[in-house]
Amino acid sequence: MVNPFSLPLGHCLSERTCRGHACRASLSAPCVRACVRACKMRPAGSICGFSIVTGGAARLVFGYDSYGNTCGQRNEPIEGIRLSGLDHTDRKFVFFLDPCNIDIVQRKIRSLALCVSLCPSEELATYQDLKRFAMLNGSELCSYELAGHKYPGLPERFSKCPKLPVPPSKPLPVFNRCTPLDISCYAKFAEAVVTFVGDNSVLHRLVAGVAASKEIIIGLCVLALGLSMILMVIIRYISAVLVWILTSLVVLGSLGELTSCFSISLITLTWTVCVFQMILLLLMLFMRKRVALTVALFAVAGKVFVQLPLLSLQPFVTFTALLLFWSYWALTLLFLGTSGNPVQNEETGLTEFRLTGPLQYLTWYHAVGLVWITEFILACQQMTVAGAVVTYYFTRDKNRLPVTPILSSVLRLVRYHLGTVAKGAFIITLVKIPRLILMYLHNQLKGKENACARCLLKTCICCLWCLEKCLNYLNQNAYAATAINSTSFCTSARDAFVILVENALRIATINAIGDFVLFLGKILIVTATAFAGVLLLNSQRDYAEWLLPLAIVCLFSFLAAHCFLSVFEIVVDVLFLCFAVDTKYNDGSPGNEFFMDKALMVRHKHIYHIIYIILYII
């Protein structure tokens, strides 16, 4: 690994240009161009553009009838499909003859659909009412080949006119579908989609409780966000107390067990317990320095959040980016659902649009994009945090930090390291997609496969999950190594792996103790928010009315705490990598001074004797 500390950090950053651009060009130029084209919706470079050009987006928004005509525009004839190619410029709304004829399996309406100029706002009980509505409003609700003034006497009225009585409806905003005002006919569909065990009155009370407590729910969610941000700053003070209390309890418990081992008649199980307690005690004595390092890293991480307050906003930025992308992805998926070639359904006789040939795999390609770009956004967060923390660590005079290290890190990411994070995200995608496929097969074959196949599937899923977690951790450290040395992804991953192997025991201690402390922090936030929720919701006597609001608040508080403390965990991991590289290439002598914070320097020069003091007192 090239020693980056023989030169000022600014010089190290200035050397990013060649390697950063080369990495970006070699690793992900197609990916970056694809992202840009997708944002601009160019038809040649994105699925969204393809669906817009082929009419899928227009058919989704404006709607189309059962003959392949898009409502609100002039249409071209479709070969082999009658009543296609009609001019629907004045017919802008989709009307279903039987809106309650729903295919529960396919989750779509099986009724004949027509383009009409006006949705019926009042109930139409007879065919005379249909005729009157057509004559007064110019909106014919029967099939196009039937004349409106002849509705009552036509024999085809039973199959090509709406099912009586026609319920009043109004157009759905944006999507131009005539939707019945009374949605009771969708009850069967809702029961098939959402399964609820118990009396429906309980469900009604739960929903009513959420509606009545929405202000309290919003307030408690804001409280959870505030507690999460505060905890990231004060955790450096409470982590030391928690770690040493837990360490002391383990030592005292081990000593107590060992004392009892020599005062009772020993059997095989007791010998096993005594040997385990002896190993645990020796392990705690052996790991005391590494425990002290974990405490020091938590303390420095708290300082980082004080010096770089914009780090606290990183979860908001990442969540916003993910929300925007997921919305774009879902919208494009809907576009794909109405794209393709017109095909007549042999069972119903209705015209549907389906992707055929190689284009039928576009949905799967789109699903891969969902996983990859999601991982790419999360990797951008890790790279941004790593760049800011590296800048903080290797700036000796903290008063000379950049005005906005976070924004500087973002600019370096966009300019030099998009290829690095794209490649890292792609590697995770290559592991995650097979795991998701195996999980899907396991769910589909549940109860059908034999015990051996079930065990093999679960083993493969577990192995892929473990591999994904390991690669995630290696990627995160590779991003930190990239932020330090500005090397390519593969070189950074190799250098980070070497550092991690050389400090395996330190890594194990930091992960074990650090993860436990962060888990306690999440529990603390959830408990505090739940307690406040019980106090505020206690005015509602019936437990069913505040049980669901409290569950929603607890779930949100856990997710908020997880998001914020995950950023704290990234900061701790990056600080450790910087510390490991710092101690590897510097020894504190003149000309090779440490970059580390004083808290870490004290730990590096002196040994904590807390466990020795405990043993001395005992």
Side-chain angles (χ1 to χ4, degrees):
M1 185 173 184
V2 179
N3 183 359
F5 309 112
S6 60
L7 298 172
L9 181 61
H11 184 83
C12 182
L13 295 178
S14 67
E15 290 189 353
R16 296 176 187 272
T17 306
C18 296
R19 287 174 290 190
H21 280 302
C23 177
R24 181 172 60 181
S26 61
L27 296 180
S28 65
C31 174
V32 174
R33 287 196 297 268
C35 293
V36 172
R37 291 173 181 173
C39 293
K40 294 182 178 180
M41 297 185 180
R42 294 182 181 176
S46 70
I47 299 177
C48 184
F50 165 79
S51 61
I52 291 175
V53 170
T54 56
R59 283 189 286 270
L60 175 68
V61 175
F62 300 115
Y64 62 96
D65 61 18
S66 297
Y67 307 107
N69 301 299
T70 303
C71 299
Q73 67 183 37
R74 186 185 299 272
N75 298 274
E76 297 294 332
I78 301 174
E79 184 179 356
I81 298 179
R82 66 184 187 90
L83 297 179
S84 62
L86 300 180
D87 184 2
H88 285 335
T89 306
D90 298 327
R91 298 176 177 181
K92 299 181 179 180
F93 305 105
V94 180
F95 176 77
F96 296 97
L97 301 191
D98 187 6
C100 295
N101 184 9
I102 300 173
D103 185 348
I104 296 177
V105 176
Q106 298 294 329
R107 295 182 295 276
K108 61 182 180 181
I109 299 176
R110 297 168 58 91
S111 166
L112 183 70
L114 302 173
C115 293
V116 299
S117 57
L118 185 66
C119 299
S121 58
E122 298 179 355
E123 183 179 81
L124 306 178
T126 65
Y127 291 106
Q128 286 291 345
D129 294 337
L130 290 177
K131 173 184 175 182
R132 188 181 307 108
F133 182 80
M135 295 296 100
L136 293 177
N137 302 290
S139 182
E140 299 178 350
L141 303 183
C142 295
S143 187
Y144 304 130
E145 68 268 26
L146 303 183
H149 64 281
K150 297 181 180 180
Y151 285 167
L154 293 175
E156 300 94 337
R157 66 183 184 275
F158 300 105
S159 59
K160 297 185 178 181
C161 285
K163 182 179 179 181
L164 299 178
V166 180
S169 60
K170 64 178 181 180
L172 191 68
V174 180
F175 293 100
N176 301 316
R177 269 73 170 178
C178 293
T179 308
L181 298 178
D182 182 11
I183 59 174
S184 59
C185 66
Y186 297 141
K188 183 179 178 181
F189 177 66
E191 291 175 4
V193 176
V194 181
T195 302
F196 182 78
V197 180
D199 189 5
N200 286 335
S201 61
V202 177
L203 176 61
H204 294 159
R205 292 209 305 271
L206 290 174
V207 175
V210 173
S213 309
K214 56 182 179 298
E215 294 85 1
I216 297 177
I217 293 175
I218 295 175
L220 291 173
C221 291
V222 173
L223 175 63
L225 291 175
L227 291 176
S228 301
M229 298 176 69
I230 293 173
L231 183 62
M232 288 196 300
V233 178
I234 67 173
I235 197 172
R236 61 171 169 159
Y237 301 110
I238 64 177
S239 59
V241 178
L242 286 175
V243 169
W244 292 121
I245 287 178
L246 293 173
T247 303
S248 303
L249 291 176
V250 172
V251 173
L252 292 175
S254 301
L255 290 175
E257 288 289 339
L258 290 176
T259 303
S260 62
C261 287
F262 298 102
S263 61
I264 59 175
S265 57
L266 299 179
I267 58 177
T268 303
L269 180 60
T270 308
W271 269 112
T272 304
V273 174
C274 292
V275 171
F276 175 76
Q277 293 295 337
M278 177 65 73
I279 294 175
L280 182 60
L281 180 60
L282 293 176
L283 186 62
M284 293 304 300
L285 291 173
F286 179 69
M287 302 290 283
R288 67 190 184 279
K289 300 179 184 179
R290 296 165 182 85
V291 173
L293 174 61
T294 304
V295 175
L297 285 174
F298 270 67
V300 177
K303 293 181 182 179
V304 171
F305 279 94
V306 174
Q307 292 283 341
L308 310 178
L310 288 181
L311 276 178
S312 302
L313 300 179
Q314 194 61 39
F316 293 106
V317 176
T318 303
F319 177 76
T320 302
L322 287 173
L323 190 62
L324 291 174
F325 168 68
W326 290 339
S327 301
Y328 163 80
W329 185 88
L331 185 63
T332 305
L333 183 64
L334 293 176
F335 288 169
L336 283 177
T338 54
S339 300
N341 300 319
V343 177
Q344 198 163 23
N345 191 311
E346 296 180 357
E347 180 182 352
T348 61
L350 307 180
T351 302
E352 301 173 352
F353 288 87
R354 299 175 185 173
L355 295 171
T356 57
L359 294 178
Q360 62 184 320
Y361 301 107
L362 272 180
T363 304
W364 293 104
Y365 180 76
H366 193 49
V368 173
L370 171 66
V371 179
W372 188 3
I373 302 302
T374 299
E375 293 296 330
F376 176 80
I377 294 173
L378 295 175
C380 286
Q381 172 185 268
Q382 296 174 355
M383 190 72 187
T384 300
V385 174
V389 174
V390 166
T391 301
Y392 172 86
Y393 187 96
F394 293 115
T395 301
R396 297 186 188 277
D397 185 1
K398 307 305 180 188
N399 295 323
R400 300 182 59 185
L401 283 170
V403 179
T404 54
I406 295 293
L407 296 181
S408 300
S409 179
V410 171
L411 293 177
R412 288 197 298 270
L413 165 65
V414 174
R415 186 175 180 183
Y416 302 116
H417 303 310
L418 281 179
T420 298
V421 294
K423 189 171 186 178
F426 182 69
I427 291 175
I428 300 298
T429 304
L430 290 179
V431 178
K432 177 168 285 189
I433 288 180
R435 181 173 66 85
L436 294 176
I437 293 175
L438 290 179
M439 291 175 62
Y440 174 77
L441 292 177
H442 181 262
N443 291 331
Q444 292 296 314
L445 299 176
K446 186 174 293 184
K448 300 178 182 179
E449 77 279 15
N450 56 38
C452 182
R454 182 168 59 253
C455 180
L456 183 61
L457 273 176
K458 289 184 177 179
T459 302
C460 293
I461 293 172
C462 182
C463 292
L464 288 175
W465 181 84
C466 294
L467 178 60
E468 181 183 336
K469 292 299 179 182
C470 294
L471 289 176
N472 261 321
Y473 187 73
L474 180 60
N475 280 0
Q476 180 178 308
N477 286 276
Y479 301 146
T482 299
I484 296 173
N485 287 336
S486 187
T487 49
S488 65
F489 175 80
C490 295
T491 303
S492 299
R494 181 199 62 197
D495 295 341
F497 181 77
V498 172
I499 294 294
L500 295 178
V501 171
E502 292 174 351
N503 297 270
L505 292 179
R506 288 175 172 176
I507 293 293
T509 306
I510 293 171
N511 286 339
I513 297 178
D515 289 346
F516 183 71
V517 171
L518 293 179
F519 175 75
L520 291 180
K522 297 174 186 178
I523 298 300
L524 175 63
I525 292 175
V526 173
T527 304
T529 308
F531 180 72
V534 171
L535 294 179
L536 294 175
L537 296 170
N538 195 33
S539 58
Q540 301 177 4
R541 300 297 180 183
D542 190 353
Y543 77 94
E545 294 182 3
W546 57 265
L547 184 62
L548 185 57
L550 188 62
I552 293 174
V553 168
C554 290
L555 178 61
F556 179 85
S557 61
F558 180 81
L559 293 177
H562 175 74
C563 292
F564 282 94
L565 292 181
S566 295
V567 176
F568 188 91
E569 185 178 9
I570 295 174
V571 172
V572 172
D573 291 337
V574 175
L575 283 174
F576 172 74
L577 188 70
C578 295
F579 170 82
V581 175
D582 193 5
T583 54
K584 181 177 181 179
Y585 292 107
N586 297 304
D587 55 9
S589 61
N592 288 313
E593 294 85 359
F594 291 120
F595 286 87
M596 67 184 68
D597 188 90
K598 291 182 179 180
L600 293 172
M601 196 173 297
V602 170
R603 183 259 151 225
H604 185 68
K605 291 184 178 181
H606 305 287
I607 299 176
Y608 285 82
H609 300 287
I610 294 182
I611 298 181
Y612 284 150
I613 295 174
I614 296 173
L615 293 175
Y616 177 77
I617 295 175
I618 295 175

mmCIF file of all heavy atoms in Angstrom, residues 317-349:
data_model
loop_
_atom_site.group_PDB
_atom_site.id
_atom_site.type_symbol
_atom_site.label_atom_id
_atom_site.label_comp_id
_atom_site.label_asym_id
_atom_site.label_seq_id
_atom_site.Cartn_x
_atom_site.Cartn_y
_atom_site.Cartn_z
ATOM 1 N N VAL A 317 -30.968 12.736 3.260
ATOM 2 C CA VAL A 317 -30.602 12.846 1.843
ATOM 3 C C VAL A 317 -30.699 11.489 1.160
ATOM 4 O O VAL A 317 -31.257 11.361 0.054
ATOM 5 C CB VAL A 317 -29.179 13.423 1.705
ATOM 6 C CG1 VAL A 317 -28.754 13.460 0.245
ATOM 7 C CG2 VAL A 317 -29.107 14.821 2.310
ATOM 8 N N THR A 318 -30.164 10.460 1.820
ATOM 9 C CA THR A 318 -30.209 9.120 1.236
ATOM 10 C C THR A 318 -31.646 8.635 1.081
ATOM 11 O O THR A 318 -32.023 8.068 0.041
ATOM 12 C CB THR A 318 -29.421 8.138 2.115
ATOM 13 O OG1 THR A 318 -28.075 8.616 2.250
ATOM 14 C CG2 THR A 318 -29.391 6.758 1.494
ATOM 15 N N PHE A 319 -32.473 8.856 2.107
ATOM 16 C CA PHE A 319 -33.871 8.426 2.036
ATOM 17 C C PHE A 319 -34.609 9.156 0.919
ATOM 18 O O PHE A 319 -35.409 8.550 0.194
ATOM 19 C CB PHE A 319 -34.561 8.672 3.375
ATOM 20 C CG PHE A 319 -36.028 8.329 3.367
ATOM 21 C CD1 PHE A 319 -36.437 7.010 3.408
ATOM 22 C CD2 PHE A 319 -36.992 9.326 3.306
ATOM 23 C CE1 PHE A 319 -37.789 6.689 3.394
ATOM 24 C CE2 PHE A 319 -38.338 9.016 3.294
ATOM 25 C CZ PHE A 319 -38.737 7.686 3.340
ATOM 26 N N THR A 320 -34.332 10.456 0.766
ATOM 27 C CA THR A 320 -34.978 11.220 -0.305
ATOM 28 C C THR A 320 -34.568 10.691 -1.674
ATOM 29 O O THR A 320 -35.410 10.526 -2.577
ATOM 30 C CB THR A 320 -34.617 12.709 -0.188
ATOM 31 O OG1 THR A 320 -35.015 13.197 1.105
ATOM 32 C CG2 THR A 320 -35.310 13.519 -1.269
ATOM 33 N N ALA A 321 -33.273 10.398 -1.840
ATOM 34 C CA ALA A 321 -32.797 9.856 -3.114
ATOM 35 C C ALA A 321 -33.430 8.498 -3.401
ATOM 36 O O ALA A 321 -33.856 8.221 -4.533
ATOM 37 C CB ALA A 321 -31.276 9.745 -3.093
ATOM 38 N N LEU A 322 -33.511 7.646 -2.380
ATOM 39 C CA LEU A 322 -34.135 6.334 -2.567
ATOM 40 C C LEU A 322 -35.610 6.473 -2.889
ATOM 41 O O LEU A 322 -36.138 5.751 -3.754
ATOM 42 C CB LEU A 322 -33.952 5.488 -1.308
ATOM 43 C CG LEU A 322 -32.541 4.940 -1.043
ATOM 44 C CD1 LEU A 322 -32.478 4.269 0.313
ATOM 45 C CD2 LEU A 322 -32.122 3.964 -2.134
ATOM 46 N N LEU A 323 -36.299 7.395 -2.212
ATOM 47 C CA LEU A 323 -37.730 7.581 -2.449
ATOM 48 C C LEU A 323 -37.988 8.054 -3.875
ATOM 49 O O LEU A 323 -38.902 7.564 -4.556
ATOM 50 C CB LEU A 323 -38.297 8.574 -1.440
ATOM 51 C CG LEU A 323 -39.817 8.715 -1.400
ATOM 52 C CD1 LEU A 323 -40.457 7.396 -1.011
ATOM 53 C CD2 LEU A 323 -40.226 9.813 -0.424
ATOM 54 N N LEU A 324 -37.169 8.997 -4.349
ATOM 55 C CA LEU A 324 -37.323 9.487 -5.711
ATOM 56 C C LEU A 324 -37.056 8.378 -6.733
ATOM 57 O O LEU A 324 -37.800 8.220 -7.712
ATOM 58 C CB LEU A 324 -36.391 10.672 -5.962
ATOM 59 C CG LEU A 324 -36.719 11.964 -5.209
ATOM 60 C CD1 LEU A 324 -35.632 13.011 -5.446
ATOM 61 C CD2 LEU A 324 -38.082 12.500 -5.635
ATOM 62 N N PHE A 325 -36.007 7.610 -6.491
ATOM 63 C CA PHE A 325 -35.691 6.538 -7.431
ATOM 64 C C PHE A 325 -36.771 5.462 -7.423
ATOM 65 O O PHE A 325 -37.183 4.967 -8.483
ATOM 66 C CB PHE A 325 -34.339 5.915 -7.099
ATOM 67 C CG PHE A 325 -34.084 4.627 -7.837
ATOM 68 C CD1 PHE A 325 -33.898 4.621 -9.211
ATOM 69 C CD2 PHE A 325 -34.082 3.415 -7.159
ATOM 70 C CE1 PHE A 325 -33.703 3.436 -9.896
ATOM 71 C CE2 PHE A 325 -33.884 2.231 -7.840
ATOM 72 C CZ PHE A 325 -33.691 2.234 -9.210
ATOM 73 N N TRP A 326 -37.229 5.047 -6.223
ATOM 74 C CA TRP A 326 -38.271 4.024 -6.151
ATOM 75 C C TRP A 326 -39.555 4.499 -6.817
ATOM 76 O O TRP A 326 -40.258 3.700 -7.454
ATOM 77 C CB TRP A 326 -38.532 3.645 -4.698
ATOM 78 C CG TRP A 326 -37.408 2.875 -4.075
ATOM 79 C CD1 TRP A 326 -36.434 2.158 -4.725
ATOM 80 C CD2 TRP A 326 -37.116 2.763 -2.677
ATOM 81 N NE1 TRP A 326 -35.559 1.598 -3.823
ATOM 82 C CE2 TRP A 326 -35.954 1.952 -2.559
ATOM 83 C CE3 TRP A 326 -37.703 3.246 -1.516
ATOM 84 C CZ2 TRP A 326 -35.403 1.622 -1.323
ATOM 85 C CZ3 TRP A 326 -37.161 2.916 -0.293
ATOM 86 C CH2 TRP A 326 -36.021 2.115 -0.198
ATOM 87 N N SER A 327 -39.878 5.775 -6.678
ATOM 88 C CA SER A 327 -41.062 6.316 -7.340
ATOM 89 C C SER A 327 -40.895 6.255 -8.853
ATOM 90 O O SER A 327 -41.817 5.853 -9.583
ATOM 91 C CB SER A 327 -41.317 7.758 -6.890
ATOM 92 O OG SER A 327 -41.507 7.830 -5.489
ATOM 93 N N TYR A 328 -39.723 6.663 -9.334
ATOM 94 C CA TYR A 328 -39.437 6.585 -10.772
ATOM 95 C C TYR A 328 -39.494 5.150 -11.252
ATOM 96 O O TYR A 328 -40.062 4.850 -12.318
ATOM 97 C CB TYR A 328 -38.059 7.194 -11.042
ATOM 98 C CG TYR A 328 -37.469 6.831 -12.384
ATOM 99 C CD1 TYR A 328 -37.872 7.488 -13.542
ATOM 100 C CD2 TYR A 328 -36.509 5.829 -12.490
ATOM 101 C CE1 TYR A 328 -37.334 7.151 -14.773
ATOM 102 C CE2 TYR A 328 -35.969 5.484 -13.715
ATOM 103 C CZ TYR A 328 -36.391 6.150 -14.849
ATOM 104 O OH TYR A 328 -35.853 5.807 -16.061
ATOM 105 N N TRP A 329 -38.941 4.218 -10.457
ATOM 106 C CA TRP A 329 -38.918 2.811 -10.852
ATOM 107 C C TRP A 329 -40.343 2.252 -10.923
ATOM 108 O O TRP A 329 -40.686 1.533 -11.869
ATOM 109 C CB TRP A 329 -38.097 2.019 -9.840
ATOM 110 C CG TRP A 329 -37.906 0.576 -10.223
ATOM 111 C CD1 TRP A 329 -36.925 0.051 -10.995
ATOM 112 C CD2 TRP A 329 -38.762 -0.519 -9.861
ATOM 113 N NE1 TRP A 329 -37.102 -1.309 -11.128
ATOM 114 C CE2 TRP A 329 -38.224 -1.690 -10.446
ATOM 115 C CE3 TRP A 329 -39.917 -0.625 -9.086
ATOM 116 C CZ2 TRP A 329 -38.796 -2.942 -10.283
ATOM 117 C CZ3 TRP A 329 -40.501 -1.873 -8.931
ATOM 118 C CH2 TRP A 329 -39.950 -3.013 -9.526
ATOM 119 N N ALA A 330 -41.169 2.550 -9.921
ATOM 120 C CA ALA A 330 -42.547 2.056 -9.907
ATOM 121 C C ALA A 330 -43.347 2.634 -11.079
ATOM 122 O O ALA A 330 -44.134 1.920 -11.716
ATOM 123 C CB ALA A 330 -43.213 2.402 -8.574
ATOM 124 N N LEU A 331 -43.141 3.921 -11.368
ATOM 125 C CA LEU A 331 -43.849 4.538 -12.483
ATOM 126 C C LEU A 331 -43.447 3.890 -13.806
ATOM 127 O O LEU A 331 -44.295 3.604 -14.665
ATOM 128 C CB LEU A 331 -43.564 6.041 -12.511
ATOM 129 C CG LEU A 331 -44.325 6.859 -13.561
ATOM 130 C CD1 LEU A 331 -45.822 6.788 -13.304
ATOM 131 C CD2 LEU A 331 -43.844 8.305 -13.559
ATOM 132 N N THR A 332 -42.153 3.635 -13.964
ATOM 133 C CA THR A 332 -41.684 2.972 -15.189
ATOM 134 C C THR A 332 -42.236 1.558 -15.296
ATOM 135 O O THR A 332 -42.573 1.085 -16.389
ATOM 136 C CB THR A 332 -40.147 2.941 -15.217
ATOM 137 O OG1 THR A 332 -39.638 4.278 -15.078
ATOM 138 C CG2 THR A 332 -39.635 2.353 -16.513
ATOM 139 N N LEU A 333 -42.344 0.873 -14.159
ATOM 140 C CA LEU A 333 -42.916 -0.465 -14.168
ATOM 141 C C LEU A 333 -44.372 -0.434 -14.623
ATOM 142 O O LEU A 333 -44.820 -1.302 -15.385
ATOM 143 C CB LEU A 333 -42.812 -1.088 -12.777
ATOM 144 C CG LEU A 333 -43.303 -2.528 -12.637
ATOM 145 C CD1 LEU A 333 -42.436 -3.470 -13.483
ATOM 146 C CD2 LEU A 333 -43.298 -2.965 -11.180
ATOM 147 N N LEU A 334 -45.121 0.565 -14.180
ATOM 148 C CA LEU A 334 -46.498 0.719 -14.632
ATOM 149 C C LEU A 334 -46.542 1.018 -16.127
ATOM 150 O O LEU A 334 -47.427 0.516 -16.840
ATOM 151 C CB LEU A 334 -47.189 1.834 -13.846
ATOM 152 C CG LEU A 334 -47.432 1.567 -12.358
ATOM 153 C CD1 LEU A 334 -48.022 2.798 -11.695
ATOM 154 C CD2 LEU A 334 -48.357 0.377 -12.172
ATOM 155 N N PHE A 335 -45.607 1.834 -16.590
ATOM 156 C CA PHE A 335 -45.534 2.104 -18.032
ATOM 157 C C PHE A 335 -45.310 0.810 -18.813
ATOM 158 O O PHE A 335 -45.927 0.583 -19.865
ATOM 159 C CB PHE A 335 -44.406 3.083 -18.339
ATOM 160 C CG PHE A 335 -44.687 4.495 -17.913
ATOM 161 C CD1 PHE A 335 -43.676 5.452 -17.919
ATOM 162 C CD2 PHE A 335 -45.945 4.882 -17.503
ATOM 163 C CE1 PHE A 335 -43.933 6.766 -17.530
ATOM 164 C CE2 PHE A 335 -46.210 6.190 -17.111
ATOM 165 C CZ PHE A 335 -45.203 7.123 -17.128
ATOM 166 N N LEU A 336 -44.422 -0.041 -18.296
ATOM 167 C CA LEU A 336 -44.141 -1.301 -18.980
ATOM 168 C C LEU A 336 -45.375 -2.196 -19.029
ATOM 169 O O LEU A 336 -45.545 -2.979 -19.967
ATOM 170 C CB LEU A 336 -42.994 -2.039 -18.277
ATOM 171 C CG LEU A 336 -41.580 -1.522 -18.531
ATOM 172 C CD1 LEU A 336 -40.583 -2.320 -17.716
ATOM 173 C CD2 LEU A 336 -41.233 -1.609 -20.007
ATOM 174 N N GLY A 337 -46.233 -2.086 -18.011
ATOM 175 C CA GLY A 337 -47.433 -2.907 -17.980
ATOM 176 C C GLY A 337 -48.408 -2.600 -19.095
ATOM 177 O O GLY A 337 -49.267 -3.434 -19.421
ATOM 178 N N THR A 338 -48.312 -1.423 -19.684
ATOM 179 C CA THR A 338 -49.204 -1.054 -20.795
ATOM 180 C C THR A 338 -48.427 -0.862 -22.094
ATOM 181 O O THR A 338 -48.944 -0.260 -23.038
ATOM 182 C CB THR A 338 -49.962 0.244 -20.450
ATOM 183 O OG1 THR A 338 -49.017 1.263 -20.086
ATOM 184 C CG2 THR A 338 -50.920 0.024 -19.293
ATOM 185 N N SER A 339 -47.187 -1.343 -22.141
ATOM 186 C CA SER A 339 -46.376 -1.245 -23.361
ATOM 187 C C SER A 339 -46.432 -2.561 -24.131
ATOM 188 O O SER A 339 -46.879 -3.588 -23.621
ATOM 189 C CB SER A 339 -44.919 -0.904 -23.011
ATOM 190 O OG SER A 339 -44.836 0.330 -22.336
ATOM 191 N N GLY A 340 -45.953 -2.517 -25.345
ATOM 192 C CA GLY A 340 -45.861 -3.726 -26.147
ATOM 193 C C GLY A 340 -46.838 -3.746 -27.303
ATOM 194 O O GLY A 340 -47.392 -2.712 -27.711
ATOM 195 N N ASN A 341 -47.079 -4.932 -27.808
ATOM 196 C CA ASN A 341 -47.949 -5.127 -28.967
ATOM 197 C C ASN A 341 -49.354 -5.519 -28.528
ATOM 198 O O ASN A 341 -49.530 -6.204 -27.516
ATOM 199 C CB ASN A 341 -47.381 -6.221 -29.877
ATOM 200 C CG ASN A 341 -45.993 -5.870 -30.387
ATOM 201 O OD1 ASN A 341 -45.734 -4.723 -30.738
ATOM 202 N ND2 ASN A 341 -45.112 -6.856 -30.430
ATOM 203 N N PRO A 342 -50.379 -5.087 -29.273
ATOM 204 C CA PRO A 342 -51.750 -5.464 -28.917
ATOM 205 C C PRO A 342 -51.990 -6.950 -29.165
ATOM 206 O O PRO A 342 -51.672 -7.478 -30.227
ATOM 207 C CB PRO A 342 -52.608 -4.594 -29.844
ATOM 208 C CG PRO A 342 -51.715 -4.254 -30.988
ATOM 209 C CD PRO A 342 -50.323 -4.197 -30.446
ATOM 210 N N VAL A 343 -52.557 -7.624 -28.161
ATOM 211 C CA VAL A 343 -52.848 -9.049 -28.235
ATOM 212 C C VAL A 343 -54.270 -9.268 -27.736
ATOM 213 O O VAL A 343 -54.653 -8.718 -26.693
ATOM 214 C CB VAL A 343 -51.855 -9.878 -27.397
ATOM 215 C CG1 VAL A 343 -52.227 -11.353 -27.439
ATOM 216 C CG2 VAL A 343 -50.438 -9.657 -27.869
ATOM 217 N N GLN A 344 -55.051 -10.047 -28.469
ATOM 218 C CA GLN A 344 -56.431 -10.306 -28.080
ATOM 219 C C GLN A 344 -56.478 -11.507 -27.143
ATOM 220 O O GLN A 344 -55.983 -12.591 -27.456
ATOM 221 C CB GLN A 344 -57.303 -10.565 -29.304
ATOM 222 C CG GLN A 344 -58.793 -10.424 -29.037
ATOM 223 C CD GLN A 344 -59.596 -10.272 -30.319
ATOM 224 O OE1 GLN A 344 -59.147 -10.681 -31.383
ATOM 225 N NE2 GLN A 344 -60.758 -9.669 -30.223
ATOM 226 N N ASN A 345 -57.058 -11.301 -25.959
ATOM 227 C CA ASN A 345 -57.184 -12.359 -24.973
ATOM 228 C C ASN A 345 -58.197 -13.387 -25.468
ATOM 229 O O ASN A 345 -59.350 -13.060 -25.748
ATOM 230 C CB ASN A 345 -57.638 -11.769 -23.632
ATOM 231 C CG ASN A 345 -57.532 -12.768 -22.496
ATOM 232 O OD1 ASN A 345 -57.986 -13.899 -22.610
ATOM 233 N ND2 ASN A 345 -56.945 -12.335 -21.393
ATOM 234 N N GLU A 346 -57.744 -14.647 -25.585
ATOM 235 C CA GLU A 346 -58.616 -15.684 -26.127
ATOM 236 C C GLU A 346 -59.781 -15.993 -25.199
ATOM 237 O O GLU A 346 -60.853 -16.418 -25.659
ATOM 238 C CB GLU A 346 -57.793 -16.960 -26.378
ATOM 239 C CG GLU A 346 -56.707 -16.789 -27.427
ATOM 240 C CD GLU A 346 -55.927 -18.064 -27.645
ATOM 241 O OE1 GLU A 346 -56.221 -19.049 -26.925
ATOM 242 O OE2 GLU A 346 -55.038 -18.076 -28.514
ATOM 243 N N GLU A 347 -59.600 -15.806 -23.923
ATOM 244 C CA GLU A 347 -60.647 -16.137 -22.967
ATOM 245 C C GLU A 347 -61.723 -15.071 -22.909
ATOM 246 O O GLU A 347 -62.920 -15.367 -22.914
ATOM 247 C CB GLU A 347 -60.035 -16.345 -21.576
ATOM 248 C CG GLU A 347 -61.046 -16.705 -20.506
ATOM 249 C CD GLU A 347 -60.398 -16.851 -19.142
ATOM 250 O OE1 GLU A 347 -59.155 -16.819 -19.067
ATOM 251 O OE2 GLU A 347 -61.137 -16.986 -18.151
ATOM 252 N N THR A 348 -61.316 -13.807 -22.849
ATOM 253 C CA THR A 348 -62.285 -12.716 -22.689
ATOM 254 C C THR A 348 -62.582 -11.987 -23.989
ATOM 255 O O THR A 348 -63.584 -11.277 -24.085
ATOM 256 C CB THR A 348 -61.762 -11.708 -21.662
ATOM 257 O OG1 THR A 348 -60.523 -11.145 -22.132
ATOM 258 C CG2 THR A 348 -61.512 -12.383 -20.310
ATOM 259 N N GLY A 349 -61.693 -12.102 -24.981
ATOM 260 C CA GLY A 349 -61.876 -11.376 -26.232
ATOM 261 C C GLY A 349 -61.444 -9.931 -26.155
ATOM 262 O O GLY A 349 -61.603 -9.174 -27.126
#
